[in-house]
Amino acid sequence: MHGVIFSLWFVVLLVQTFLIPAGRVRWHRKLGLVSYGVAALVVLFGVLAAIDSLRRGVGIGSFDLSVSFAISIMDMVAFGIVIFSSYRARHRPSAHKRLVLYATLSLMDAAFDRWPYEQMRMHFSAHTYVYFGFLFFPGFYDLVSTRRIQKSTLWAFLLIATLYEVRIPMGSTHLWHLLSHAVAE
């Protein structure tokens, strides 16, 4: 179900992206309500998948299970905050579309984790550079198109980048290990 829901998010995003230039604003708004329902399911099933992975002893790369759990949970926190903010900004199109994009980018970290870096003769740390390249792109777009970085772009980037950077140290703390063990039982 986790994969189906996350795939559905990307399908809905793609459809929504084409509705606005096609002049179907009313359809975009109606489907938008469904989209936010799908977003809530993304968070729910993302957390459930993280708990299931923790209980089954499946980690991310060489990280221990508590750190892997923290990585997954922080990705869901980032997505949840940014997508909720996009809902609140739905009457400000420039902020809304940037926030939906950043919410979606916050999910992409898991996809980049699965790339075969070693087979491409790269260290797994290349994942961070690839991911941040995607996170920087909307800011670059803002600079080229509007000659300034939009507030929504800046704060969404800073939130996602901060949560990205704190999740491994947080997952390594004694308190997080206690929480992970409690959830795993």
Side-chain angles (χ1 to χ4, degrees), residues 40-56:
L41 291 175
V42 164
V43 174
L44 174 65
F45 279 89
V47 169
L48 291 175
I51 292 169
D52 181 59
S53 292
L54 180 66
R55 289 183 176 159
R56 290 186 301 114

Side-chain angles (χ1 to χ4, degrees), residues 20 28-29 36 82 85-103 138-139 141-142 145-146 148-156:
I20 292 296
H28 177 83
R29 288 182 178 152
Y36 286 110
V82 179
S85 299
S86 78
Y87 175 79
R88 302 231 10 212
R90 67 193 183 280
H91 298 294
R92 292 178 288 129
S94 67
H96 171 74
K97 68 182 176 183
R98 285 168 172 83
L99 293 171
V100 170
L101 174 61
Y102 265 109
Y141 173 81
D142 280 357
S145 65
T146 66
R148 67 183 183 90
I149 296 177
Q150 302 293 316
K151 287 181 187 177
S152 55
T153 300
L154 181 61
W155 83 256

Side-chain angles (χ1 to χ4, degrees), residues 59-136:
I60 298 169
S62 61
F63 293 117
D64 78 14
L65 293 176
S66 291
V67 172
S68 295
F69 184 59
I71 290 170
S72 297
I73 295 299
M74 286 296 100
D75 286 350
M76 291 301 96
V77 168
F79 177 79
I81 291 170
V82 179
I83 202 65
F84 177 74
S85 299
S86 78
Y87 175 79
R88 302 231 10 212
R90 67 193 183 280
H91 298 294
R92 292 178 288 129
S94 67
H96 171 74
K97 68 182 176 183
R98 285 168 172 83
L99 293 171
V100 170
L101 174 61
Y102 265 109
T104 304
L105 288 174
S106 74
L107 298 176
M108 297 302 295
D109 176 50
F112 295 135
D113 281 344
R114 291 169 175 83
W115 282 15
Y117 294 98
E118 289 78 19
Q119 292 173 353
M120 296 186 295
R121 301 191 196 306
M122 300 166 69
H123 190 270
F124 182 75
S125 62
H127 154 270
T128 300
Y129 301 113
V130 171
Y131 184 57
F132 271 79
F134 277 86
L135 291 180
F136 281 125

